[in-house]
């Protein structure tokens, strides 16, 4: 008995329709001329565009000022707790009372402490790359590697990250333990 691997259906032969068949005026490489506008209409359009740009610039400036004041207010409201920050030319890791933020090039993700199942660190025996991996309860993990200036920096980073994890990550576990003890 002969067996075939793959699909048994054959591709359809579809003829390629040249653009000239769709548009009889089509000539490859030729574009249609722009319609001529009176000079008054051009001046009006330029004035309208500049007014729109001015309004957009003012709105952007007010949005930036609002964002900056909101960030400053959030920073002032932050409790005085440990903060871990490590970065190199491509990646950065920040852990504070909000949670853990990872950045690699133009990609960024933020995890609140409730969303984190575990935080794992790895310092290789040889080399200067320090890896922090954030594990979520839904079995996903997000690793970021940071290159240290010296291998001795790994111990400093691990100690600082442990301090942050002890302060914020364990708070949720401490609150849940008494509730579990009362249940039986």
């Amino acid at each position: 008995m002969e067996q075939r691997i793959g699909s048994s259906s054959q591709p359809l032969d579809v003829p390629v329709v040249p653009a000239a068949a769709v548009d009889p005026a089509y000539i490859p490489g030729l574009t249609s001329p722009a319609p001529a506008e009176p000079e008054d209409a051009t001046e009006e359009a330029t004035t309208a565009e500049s007014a729109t740009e001015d309004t957009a610039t003012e709105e952007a400036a007010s949005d930036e000022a609002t964002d900056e004041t909101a960030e400053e207010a959030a920073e002032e409201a932050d409790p005085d707790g440990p903060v871990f920050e490590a970065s190199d030319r491509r990646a950065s890791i920040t852990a504070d009372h909000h949670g853990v933020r990872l950045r690699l090039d133009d990609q960024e993700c933020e995890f609140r402490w409730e969303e984190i199942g575990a935080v794992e660190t790895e310092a290789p025996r040889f080399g200067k790359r320090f890896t922090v991996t954030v594990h979520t309860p839904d079995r996903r993990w997000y690793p970021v590697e940071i290159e240290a200036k010296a291998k001795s920096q790994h111990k400093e980073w691990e100690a600082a990250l442990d301090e942050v994890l002890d302060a914020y990550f364990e708070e949720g576990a401490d609150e849940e333990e008494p509730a579990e003890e009362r249940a039986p």
Side-chain angles (χ1 to χ4, degrees):
M1 184 160 129
E2 186 177 325
Q3 294 181 349
R4 294 185 184 211
I5 299 174
S7 175
S8 62
S9 64
Q10 298 296 324
L12 298 175
D13 290 329
V14 179
V16 177
V17 179
V22 177
D23 182 11
Y26 176 77
I27 299 175
L30 205 65
T31 59
S32 63
E37 294 182 11
E39 291 181 17
D40 295 336
T42 307
E43 290 175 9
E44 290 174 9
T46 306
T47 306
E49 288 176 6
S50 64
T52 305
E53 290 175 2
D54 292 341
T55 306
T57 305
E58 290 172 5
E59 289 176 4
S62 66
D63 288 344
E64 288 177 12
T66 305
D67 291 341
E68 289 175 4
T69 55
E71 289 177 10
E72 290 173 2
E75 290 176 3
E76 290 173 4
D78 293 348
D80 293 332
V83 175
F84 170 74
E85 293 182 7
S87 63
D88 66 1
R89 60 186 166 79
R90 292 187 60 203
S92 72
I93 301 168
T94 305
D96 56 13
H97 70 283
H98 291 296
V100 178
R101 285 177 295 288
L102 307 175
R103 183 187 57 79
L104 180 63
D105 295 331
D106 63 341
Q107 303 296 314
E108 188 171 331
C109 58
E110 182 172 348
F111 302 96
R112 294 185 318 264
W113 291 112
E114 304 87 44
E115 299 173 322
I116 298 174
V119 177
E120 177 184 15
T121 62
E122 182 182 350
R125 188 171 183 185
F126 302 105
K128 296 189 239 177
R129 292 243 175 232
F130 181 73
T131 305
V132 175
T133 306
V134 175
H135 296 270
T136 60
D138 59 347
R139 296 185 183 152
R140 295 185 184 260
W141 61 93
Y142 302 88
V144 170
E145 290 183 339
I146 295 189
E147 188 169 344
K149 293 179 181 170
K151 181 122 172 89
S152 61
Q153 206 171 19
H154 291 183
K155 290 181 183 178
E156 296 170 15
W157 284 348
E158 280 193 28
L161 185 58
D162 283 342
E163 184 180 338
V164 172
L165 293 175
D166 289 343
Y168 301 117
F169 189 59
E170 297 298 326
E171 284 179 4
D174 292 342
E175 292 171 2
E176 292 175 7
E177 286 177 15
E180 291 175 4
E181 290 175 6
R182 284 184 253 151

